[in-house]
């Protein structure tokens, strides 16, 4: 667990049973289907969930998380463990299609009622399901407020999503996959669980690429990049190299290369040198 998550959990000690540290023993599947949940149902902060308890993200942080994701009307957001539906409903109110996956049937029914009451049930949908048995690969934005170890379990699934997919987590990080951005919820977010982290799923570029006049050898660690450009018989180490979704940029031999992955090829421009392209060699 990172220092930040330990701190977050320590802060949480002063707030209700939320510091049962979200780590819970799995509960039995709810007996009540979503439609049968009573309208009076009121969830309690800290109530047991399948893999993590329910604690709602504060509205100020939801707003910040959607800004960090750069959410647009073209996006399809999926909230993993959607609780009372607030992130999904906020995204739908901003014009995006949004979907919540939540194991607790009463929370699903409550979310559906709220979406109807807020007039966004056409864009905000919910299902009662286990996030670890669900396919959310079509999402362009994924939000989550789970636990460090659940984030790590989800990490390979997230990294297999389309390059450019944005992932935003309340409080918890992805261990060695460092966030591209971190930000607080601002003054309207009270002192606990007020930090969000965002990532852009990087294209998988590790390996050797053939250029017209040389070879590009890339060593990728998540969005970080190192490597060498062999050009016209000379070897240049890459510097200021990074992957941002489908885009790649690096400096080699005193020139800045910018490009993107398109149909399996890297294509782009090199400053002062026109266009460049590369195809996978291995
Ligand atoms: C900390 S709450 C976050 C709720 C919401 N995403 C938010 O930010 O307000 C985590 C939610 O995940 C749900 N949950 C726990 N394990 C789950 C699982 N395996 N599949 C789906 N939902 C799960 C819990 O019921 C709870 O509502």
């Amino acid at each position: 667990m990172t220092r930040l998550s330990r701190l977050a959990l320590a802060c949480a000690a002063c707030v209700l049973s939320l510091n049962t540290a979200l780590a819970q023993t799995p509960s039995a599947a709810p007996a009540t289907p979503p439609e049968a949940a009573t309208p009076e149902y009121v969830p309690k902060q800290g109530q047991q969930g399948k893999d993590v308890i329910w604690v709602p993200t504060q509205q100020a942080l939801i707003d910040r998380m959607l800004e960090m994701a750069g959410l647009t009307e073209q996006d399809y957001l999926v909230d993993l463990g959607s609780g009372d539906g607030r992130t999904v409903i906020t995204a739908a109110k901003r014009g995006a299609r949004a979907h919540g996956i939540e194991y607790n049937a009463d929370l699903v029914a409550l979310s559906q009622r709220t979406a109807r009451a807020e007039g966004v049930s056409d864009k905000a949908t919910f299902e009662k399901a286990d996030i670890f048995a669900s396919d959310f690969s079509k999402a362009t934005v994924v939000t989550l407020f789970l636990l460090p170890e659940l984030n790590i379990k989800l990490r390979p699934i997230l990294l297999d999503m389309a390059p450019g997919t944005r992932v935003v987590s309340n409080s918890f990080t992805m261990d060695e996959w460092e966030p591209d951005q971190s930000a607080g919820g601002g003054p309207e977010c009270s002192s606990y669980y007020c930090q969000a982290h965002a990532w852009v799923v990087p294209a998988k570029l590790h390996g050797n690429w053939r250029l017209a006049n040389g070879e590009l050898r890339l060593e990728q660690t998540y969005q970080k990049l190192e490597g060498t450009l062999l050009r016209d018989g000379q070897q240049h180490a890459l510097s200021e190299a990074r992957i941002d979704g489908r885009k790649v940029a690096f400096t080699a031999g005193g020139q800045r290369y910018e490009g993107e992955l398109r149909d399996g090829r890297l294509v782009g421009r090199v400053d002062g040198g026109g266009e460049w392209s590369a195809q996978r060699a291995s």
Side-chain angles (χ1 to χ4, degrees):
M1 195 183 292
T2 63
R3 201 167 67 79
L4 183 63
S5 56
R6 272 198 302 277
L7 188 65
L9 289 174
C11 291
C14 53
V15 246
L16 56 144
S17 62
L18 153 166
N19 65 337
T20 25
L22 307 162
Q24 296 282 320
T25 49
S27 59
T32 326
E35 313 75 47
T38 56
E40 302 79 38
Y41 173 73
V42 179
K44 288 192 182 62
Q45 283 204 26
Q47 74 183 31
Q48 193 171 351
K50 182 173 180 292
D51 294 312
V52 54
I53 60 172
W54 176 65
V55 177
T57 297
Q58 296 176 60
Q59 189 60 45
L61 192 64
I62 292 176
D63 293 336
R64 179 58 54 87
M65 287 168 73
L66 299 187
E67 280 160 27
M68 289 166 86
L71 186 86
T72 72
E73 293 184 358
Q74 278 68 53
D75 278 312
Y76 173 50
L77 176 144
V78 173
D79 190 32
L80 299 179
S82 50
D84 65 359
R86 56 184 65 199
T87 302
V88 169
I89 289 167
T90 304
K93 284 180 168 176
R94 292 182 179 208
R97 278 188 312 120
H99 185 68
I101 302 175
E102 168 58 54
Y103 197 76
N104 179 314
D106 286 328
L107 284 172
V108 171
L110 173 64
S111 303
Q112 288 166 335
R113 280 198 300 279
T114 310
R116 272 198 298 278
E118 300 274 348
V120 290
S121 53
D122 56 332
K123 286 191 179 289
T125 56
F126 299 89
E127 70 178 305
K128 191 253 167 221
D130 185 335
I131 55 175
F132 292 104
S134 301
D135 178 3
F136 50 89
S137 57
K138 291 204 162 53
T140 57
V141 174
V142 175
T143 51
L144 58 164
F145 178 22
L146 298 168
L147 272 178
E149 56 267 33
L150 299 182
N151 283 12
I152 298 309
K153 198 171 162 188
L154 287 165
R155 193 173 67 186
I157 301 169
L158 296 167
L159 284 164
D160 266 347
M161 294 181 74
T165 304
R166 289 89 80 207
V167 178
V168 191
S169 167
N170 179 345
S171 295
F172 301 113
T173 59
M174 298 277 174
D175 220 347
E176 307 92 24
W177 185 16
E178 292 174 11
D180 296 305
Q181 283 186 70
S182 296
E188 283 170 37
C189 194
S190 66
S191 58
Y192 66 98
Y193 295 119
C194 276
Q195 181 84 1
H197 306 282
W199 298 258
V200 178
V201 173
K204 293 185 171 82
L205 302 183
H206 190 94
N208 295 343
W209 297 78
R210 213 170 20 252
L211 285 86
N213 56 349
E215 189 171 300
L216 184 59
R217 295 181 182 160
L218 298 180
E219 303 273 338
Q220 176 178 2
T221 311
Y222 304 105
Q223 69 276 57
K224 293 184 187 167
L225 207 53
E226 290 183 334
T228 316
L229 176 66
L230 302 167
R231 195 181 56 193
D232 301 325
Q234 284 197 310
Q235 186 163 317
H236 307 279
L238 306 191
S239 61
E240 297 167 85
R242 200 163 176 90
I243 305 170
D244 177 12
R246 292 189 168 277
K247 294 189 184 146
V248 63
F250 57 87
T251 299
Q255 286 186 299
R256 186 76 182 155
Y257 287 74
E258 291 184 344
E260 66 173 5
L261 185 66
R262 222 184 279 160
D263 299 326
R265 289 170 64 84
L266 287 174
V267 292
R269 296 192 66 78
V270 50
D271 62 0
E275 295 180 350
W276 68 281
S277 71
Q279 62 187 33
R280 234 182 219 295
S282 60

